[in-house]
Amino acid sequence: MNRTRTLLKKIAWAVFTILFVIVLNFFLFRVLPGDPARAGIRDPRLKKEAVEMLRVRFGLDKPVINCFESLNPIKVGSCAVNPLDTQFFIYIGNLFQGELGISYHTNRPVADILSERLWNTVLLIGAGQILSIIIGVIFGVFAAWKAHTSIDYSAVITSLMVWSLPTFWLAIILLFWGSSNGLPLAGKATPGSSSLPLLQQWADIFRHMLLPTLTYTIVYMGEYTLIMRSSLIDVLSEDYILTAKAKGLSTFQILKDHALKNAMLPLVTIIAINLGFTVAGAIQIEAVFSWPGLGGAIFEAVGRRDFPVLQGAFLLIAVTVIFANLIADLTYSYLDPRVQTE
Amino acid sequence: MKRKMLYLLVLAVLILSACGGKPASTDTSEAPVTTEPAVVKIGWAGNPDSLNPGLAILTESYTILELVYDSMYELNLDGSFTLTLAESVDRSDDGLVYTYKIKDGIKWHDGKPLTAEDVSFSYNLYKDTPEYPYMNGYYTPYFESIKATENNEVVLTLTEAIPNIESQLVFLYVLPKHIWESVDKLEYENVEMIGSGPFKMTEYVQSEFIRLTANKEHFATPPKVDEVIFQTFENQDALVQAIKTGQLDMITEMSNTAVESLKTAENVEVVVGSPLAPDISDIVFNQLEDENCPKDDGGICTGHPALRDRDMRLALAHATDKQKLIDVILLGLGTPGLTLIPDGLGVWYNNSIKDYEFDVEKANQILNDAGYFDTDGDGVREMPDGSRPLTFRLNWPSDSITAPRLAELLSEMWGEIGVTLEMQAVDPDALTSQCCPAFDFDILLWGWGSDPDPSALLYVYTTEAIPTGSSETGYSNPAYDELYAQQQITLDFEARKAIVWEMQKMVHDDVVYIIPWYAQSTQAFRTDRFTGWLTGQSKVELSDVSSLVVIEPVK
């Protein structure tokens, strides 16, 4: 009973947060100065009428919202305007019909663009996350187990080093190294590979993924190692571990049955947060390896004032982050029953 | 539980071994990628915005459209035009009616015949769709009517006799009526791209690559290669690395810093020259007179009064060492600029203009003679009436790579003649609203794209362009405006050229802008893969259709 109520409360909060993000998202981009109809186009051939036509086409000729005369630099709209005929309510209306709008830049539906890009990002970052979590946890457990020995120190130093590496720098170094070993330098697949048998297609994508995934794994595993290590060392100093030792359990058993579950708590938080941001991609990695993911799409859309794409992408990110946090919350109460009672 | 842990360890071992085995796996999967047909792999840093010819804006889109479609004329790399789709053209004496006899036997990629019907359908589509920004706004406003006749002729009637029909038609790609008459002309993405040109669209993945197959049955220029791939690289270092290692056969751009290292690379040739569609960098002076302030269109007009004085601008021009700017910023890959009409426009470029020589002493003398003195001894000159110091706001779009360095060098150079700059990078969008037609700035570092015909850029200097936002300087000269109108209706080529040259002289004499340079384009190709790239032309564009249809594999 109590559990259901907590759950419902949490879900309600998540929904409320998403609604807030939708509104904030919309106005965030509108407050920026400038005119999306002219962004990126500087050409004397583009006549005033043509720019006006673009504005009408994308609904930019309508007021942003009614009744906000004094809210500059937002273009004003008077209270006499029908609220349903303002950009804001048209956007909300479309959103509830599942439409994210049309990209100003490519004239394509935003939903199409984002879904193409989303899978590429999930593939790349997902692989990178899983690898870095596994390696990080293993390293962290080792370091904690052998705390204050040379193994521990070298693990900590290595983790700190890779964690503080500039991502783009590491990516470029790996890119140069990879190119001399015949690895592809850009994209997700070799052009034309779609006509190959499925297995070869996968092998091709795997080859393209190697370098970016490796970069991602190296950069993130340090974080996981350090957190796992410190949290495990904490747990290992608890009295019940001493009791377990006194009972004559082996180190492996202590780690596995008594320490690890409790030490995982902080890691779950970090993993949940990082998984949420997975969708945003790793803009730097995607840019260096020309990986056609969401990060690249966001980067390009910012440069071109492509509001519909930005809004769509930000909404997607917000939803995943909120969702991941919700999951983390729920996992938490499973891992640590004390959390639930509050 | 025990099993789970074991599983984890096995997984880790597997992953580690996968990492170690990397180079080995590349050798085995390399084999299927190298195909037997002659495939040209081109790398570029951009990608098309739209393949719908009416909606496309980026140059990359036009590169692809050019390869897949035909238009009435073809723009050659030397700046001339060739009649492509028609075997003959007849112009009426008053210059208002053009009759094109379309060649027989031309086929669309899907096998259907291309006729005058398709041409007139396409031109009418462009003319009647106000949402097509360039097509409707710039290329078709003089079209009165377009009709197809029974003997495969297209009759194009104009509202005014214009001298540049070739450049007006060159980007109006002819579309298949049987496909376009039944699609939504604004929403159609045109990914299938049924055209008639030398290459057929085979596969398009936006932001990744474009695969084109040769149309060996093309009526004029069947390609000698079998396939062309354009692959998008978001990172220019990767682009350069890819041609060095042979993953690409040609790259359409590179950073200037990469040029030297690529020149020494094995089997790679670097080509430098004027770009096909030059971008012009400019130093903009807000010289708008108060009476021209476009208040109805949002004019704020806060320019520094000194910049309205030709002597002031002349002194700045004499104090600008263009060669140094080119050497430092472009690493020498540019030529000193004169006006907005770049040397890349060939015959239209007035090469007889003598630029203001770099001479700081002379510049100082000009300012002294005009009465700008440093009266308070702070190293900065004041206005003749002592009201304001010569402190100018200098802004540039924050996405520009060259502008920050240009600003720094200018501040140094102009400091020599007692001028100080308040320098700030501004978001390009904010800069647009600050620039024109608001005129809320002193000096800007910016630029323009260009058209094969000079008319578009000459328009920027006209009085009529002030309220539209095209004029950045607010320059207004009735004599110039008159010449502008005149060149638009002068049909005789030599006579029009003389006017265009005179207009450039006029704006150069008035120091409307300082054009720091005309940047050169750098491209590179592998010499061990294909031969015949068109390099000896006045413009460099290896991905131009004229180049891609003549190259053949190295034997």
Side-chain angles (χ1 to χ4, degrees):
Chain A
M1 179 59 199
N2 199 6
R3 187 164 225 180
T4 328
R5 241 175 77 194
T6 329
L7 185 72
L8 280 179
K9 213 168 112 189
K10 279 185 172 147
I11 291 175
W13 264 107
V15 171
F16 177 75
T17 319
I18 289 172
L19 287 178
F20 178 73
V21 165
I22 291 174
V23 176
L24 184 75
N25 236 345
F26 179 85
F27 287 104
L28 195 63
F29 296 118
R30 262 61 182 192
V31 178
L32 293 175
D35 182 355
R38 287 200 71 128
I41 310 168
R42 258 183 78 67
D43 195 320
R45 288 176 294 173
L46 204 61
K47 293 282 153 72
K48 207 179 170 189
E49 297 77 31
V51 176
E52 205 46 55
M53 249 10 255
L54 281 177
R55 235 175 247 143
V56 173
R57 214 181 131 213
F58 293 118
L60 293 165
D61 56 331
K62 301 207 164 83
V64 172
I65 189 161
N66 54 336
C67 294
F68 273 97
E69 263 97 339
S70 56
L71 194 59
N72 274 327
I74 293 183
K75 300 276 180 306
V76 296
S78 81
C79 277
V81 172
N82 175 7
L84 294 180
D85 201 34
T86 57
Q87 289 185 40
F88 179 68
F89 286 103
I90 290 174
Y91 171 68
I92 299 292
N94 285 341
L95 209 57
F96 280 112
Q97 291 168 35
E99 272 180 43
L100 293 174
I102 304 275
S103 157
Y104 297 160
H105 175 56
T106 60
N107 295 289
R108 296 179 60 208
V110 173
D112 287 6
I113 300 176
L114 292 184
S115 58
E116 278 167 20
R117 298 295 194 104
L118 178 64
W119 294 120
N120 293 339
T121 291
V122 167
L123 186 66
L124 170 67
I125 312 294
Q129 279 283 0
I130 292 171
L131 277 181
S132 53
I133 290 171
I134 292 173
I135 297 175
V137 167
I138 291 175
F139 280 15
V141 170
F142 258 96
W145 181 16
K146 302 275 176 195
H148 311 299
T149 65
S150 54
I151 294 180
D152 178 30
Y153 292 139
S154 49
V156 170
I157 290 172
T158 317
S159 305
L160 278 174
M161 248 172 59
V162 293
W163 194 14
S164 50
L165 276 182
T167 312
F168 64 92
W169 180 82
L170 178 68
I172 290 204
I173 297 291
L174 285 176
L175 182 127
F176 280 107
W177 171 80
S179 71
S180 50
N181 287 296
L183 284 177
L185 296 178
K188 180 189 88 185
T190 307
S193 64
S194 55
S195 53
L196 295 173
L198 208 57
L199 209 63
Q200 287 182 22
Q201 276 188 47
W202 285 352
D204 184 52
I205 293 177
F206 178 73
R207 265 163 33 88
H208 282 81
M209 270 177 71
L210 273 177
L211 289 177
T213 312
L214 189 63
T215 316
Y216 194 93
T217 308
I218 292 178
V219 171
Y220 278 84
M221 66 178 220
E223 186 183 356
Y224 292 131
T225 307
L226 291 174
I227 288 166
M228 192 65 218
R229 174 188 173 273
S230 64
S231 119
L232 192 57
I233 286 180
D234 265 5
V235 173
L236 286 177
S237 66
E238 300 268 348
D239 292 343
Y240 73 90
I241 299 288
L242 196 66
T243 316
K245 261 189 202 157
K247 279 197 291 185
L249 294 180
S250 72
T251 321
F252 181 69
Q253 269 174 317
I254 296 175
L255 280 177
K256 182 178 75 97
D257 294 338
H258 298 273
L260 215 52
K261 195 176 164 191
N262 289 338
M264 282 302 266
L265 280 175
L267 200 71
V268 169
T269 321
I270 301 288
I271 291 174
I273 291 174
N274 279 354
L275 275 182
F277 284 112
T278 295
V279 172
I283 293 185
Q284 295 179 18
I285 294 177
E286 288 187 358
V288 171
F289 294 104
S290 312
W291 187 264
L294 267 183
I298 293 171
F299 182 70
E300 207 187 2
V302 168
R304 301 198 185 278
R305 285 282 179 279
D306 203 341
F307 293 162
V309 172
L310 282 177
Q311 276 167 202
F314 278 38
L315 184 62
L316 191 64
I317 293 168
V319 169
T320 30
V321 170
I322 292 166
F323 193 68
N325 276 298
L326 189 66
I327 299 280
D329 258 7
L330 301 179
T331 325
Y332 235 78
S333 60
Y334 166 75
L335 285 176
D336 183 354
R338 282 172 302 173
V339 174
Q340 195 197 326
T341 51
E342 283 162 36
Chain B
M1 263 314 222
K2 205 168 258 177
R3 200 175 266 173
K4 235 184 222 167
M5 198 67 180
L6 201 72
Y7 176 70
L8 216 74
L9 277 172
V10 169
L11 202 70
V13 169
L14 268 178
I15 287 150
L16 285 173
S17 66
C19 288
K22 216 172 297 146
S25 72
T26 61
D27 297 330
T28 46
S29 48
E30 189 80 76
V33 181
T34 46
T35 40
E36 274 166 43
V39 182
V40 189
K41 285 173 273 176
I42 299 173
W44 60 3
N47 61 84
D49 50 349
S50 174
L51 295 179
N52 181 330
L55 299 174
I57 283 173
L58 296 185
T59 327
E60 284 84 359
S61 300
Y62 282 86
T63 302
I64 301 300
L65 290 168
E66 193 72 42
L67 294 166
V68 178
Y69 289 110
D70 286 304
S71 59
M72 196 58 85
Y73 293 95
E74 154 97 8
L75 174 63
N76 301 313
L77 287 177
D78 60 3
S80 64
F81 294 93
T82 324
L83 197 59
T84 327
L85 279 179
E87 54 187 48
S88 65
V89 52
D90 178 61
R91 187 174 79 184
S92 66
D93 291 337
D94 57 5
L96 287 177
V97 183
Y98 287 81
T99 309
Y100 292 96
K101 172 83 180 87
I102 303 300
K103 287 176 187 163
D104 290 320
I106 302 178
K107 282 202 163 60
W108 293 108
H109 293 158
D110 61 5
K112 298 208 166 71
L114 183 156
T115 64
E117 275 295 327
D118 293 299
V119 181
S120 82
F121 168 81
S122 309
Y123 288 1
N124 278 310
L125 173 76
Y126 295 135
K127 174 176 171 283
D128 298 334
T129 314
E131 290 89 350
Y132 285 175
Y134 285 143
M135 299 303 171
N136 183 272
Y138 185 70
Y139 291 118
T140 62
Y142 300 108
F143 287 11
E144 168 90 42
S145 72
I146 307 106
K147 287 194 182 72
T149 68
E150 274 160 22
N151 39 6
N152 213 12
E153 282 173 349
V154 178
V155 181
L156 170 63
T157 313
L158 304 175
T159 53
E160 249 175 83
I162 53 168
N164 50 354
I165 188 75
E166 294 92 349
S167 68
Q168 294 293 105
L169 292 184
V170 73
F171 296 120
L172 296 186
Y173 300 102
V174 175
L175 306 171
K177 183 182 176 185
H178 61 275
I179 291 173
W180 282 77
E181 65 187 347
S182 54
V183 299
D184 181 324
K185 52 196 179 180
L186 294 183
E187 273 172 29
Y188 189 46
E189 292 177 23
N190 195 24
V191 180
E192 305 79 17
M193 263 191 125
I194 300 297
S196 58
F199 290 92
K200 301 177 197 176
M201 174 60 80
T202 312
E203 196 182 355
Y204 174 51
V205 185
Q206 197 177 25
S207 310
E208 291 185 55
F209 63 84
I210 295 155
R211 254 176 86 205
L212 304 170
T213 328
N215 174 13
K216 300 273 185 189
E217 272 98 59
H218 190 256
F219 63 96
T221 50
K224 295 172 181 164
V225 294
D226 301 306
E227 205 175 301
V228 173
I229 292 171
F230 286 85
Q231 197 180 359
T232 300
F233 281 63
E234 283 169 45
N235 169 5
Q236 294 212 342
D237 291 323
L239 204 54
V240 170
Q241 192 64 16
I243 193 166
K244 269 189 191 164
T245 55
Q247 292 191 18
L248 292 174
D249 303 323
M250 195 272 271
I251 57 176
T252 64
E253 58 200 293
M254 68 190 81
S255 61
N256 285 355
T257 45
V259 173
E260 280 310 310
S261 86
L262 207 50
K263 272 183 181 162
T264 55
E266 233 173 287
N267 295 328
V268 175
E269 192 173 322
V270 178
V271 198
V272 179
S274 310
L276 179 67
D279 282 328
I280 301 105
S281 299
D282 54 21
I283 301 171
V284 183
F285 299 117
N286 181 356
Q287 54 204 273
L288 184 81
E289 298 290 347
D290 287 335
E291 70 260 27
N292 289 332
C293 183
K295 291 211 172 67
D296 297 341
D297 295 279
I300 305 172
C301 312
T302 60
H304 196 293
L307 292 171
R308 293 171 209 167
D309 180 2
R310 175 182 176 266
D311 285 332
M312 183 69 238
R313 305 193 300 265
L314 183 66
L316 292 176
H318 276 296
T320 308
D321 186 353
K322 289 184 185 171
Q323 196 54 52
K324 184 178 174 191
L325 298 177
I326 292 168
D327 289 342
V328 173
I329 300 168
L330 301 182
L331 302 177
L333 295 167
T335 50
L338 292 171
T339 68
L340 285 183
I341 305 300
D343 52 0
L345 281 200
V347 290
W348 301 114
Y349 169 67
N350 183 347
N351 57 16
S352 70
I353 295 175
K354 197 182 162 301
D355 201 6
Y356 306 110
E357 73 276 18
F358 170 57
D359 187 342
V360 179
E361 222 162 283
K362 191 168 180 185
N364 273 314
Q365 193 56 48
I366 293 169
L367 289 183
N368 287 344
D369 293 347
Y372 297 94
F373 290 107
D374 178 15
T375 43
D376 55 6
D378 62 351
V380 182
R381 290 171 189 267
E382 274 80 38
M383 293 284 290
D385 58 7
S387 57
R388 283 174 79 162
L390 296 186
T391 304
F392 303 128
R393 293 167 288 171
L394 178 73
N395 301 112
W396 62 88
S398 51
D399 60 350
S400 165
I401 298 164
T402 53
R405 275 187 258 178
L406 176 58
E408 217 166 285
L409 287 169
L410 286 180
S411 152
E412 212 172 280
M413 289 171 182
W414 293 350
E416 297 285 313
I417 59 167
V419 168
T420 51
L421 299 174
E422 287 170 358
M423 304 189 282
Q424 200 188 359
V426 177
D427 173 88
D429 238 17
L431 198 59
T432 307
S433 47
Q434 202 180 322
C435 161
C436 357
F439 292 98
D440 184 15
F441 68 96
D442 294 331
I443 305 176
L444 300 180
L445 308 177
W446 218 344
W448 285 106
S450 70
D451 186 67
D453 191 76
S455 204
L457 282 167
L458 291 173
Y459 171 73
V460 172
Y461 291 98
T462 57
T463 312
E464 131 192 23
I466 292 176
T468 69
S470 281
S471 168
E472 316 159 284
T473 56
Y475 175 70
S476 172
N477 179 347
Y480 179 90
D481 296 344
E482 200 167 302
L483 286 179
Y484 176 78
Q486 211 181 324
Q487 65 83 27
Q488 274 195 307
I489 49 163
T490 305
L491 296 185
D492 180 67
F493 174 77
E494 285 301 329
R496 179 167 182 239
K497 184 181 137 186
I499 301 173
V500 170
W501 278 40
E502 197 190 332
M503 292 166 79
Q504 293 170 60
K505 175 108 183 28
M506 199 178 265
V507 291
H508 186 261
D509 284 347
D510 287 344
V511 208
V512 182
Y513 288 90
I514 294 178
I515 308 294
W517 59 64
Y518 300 134
Q520 286 176 316
S521 128
T522 44
Q523 304 191 321
F525 63 90
R526 291 221 36 123
T527 50
D528 56 350
R529 292 272 297 146
F530 295 91
T531 62
W533 298 98
L534 283 189
T535 55
Q537 307 291 315
S538 54
K539 292 181 183 223
V540 168
E541 186 47 73
L542 299 178
S543 66
D544 188 67
V545 61
S546 57
S547 199
L548 290 180
V549 295
V550 295
I551 56 169
E552 47 192 333
V554 172
K555 275 163 194 115

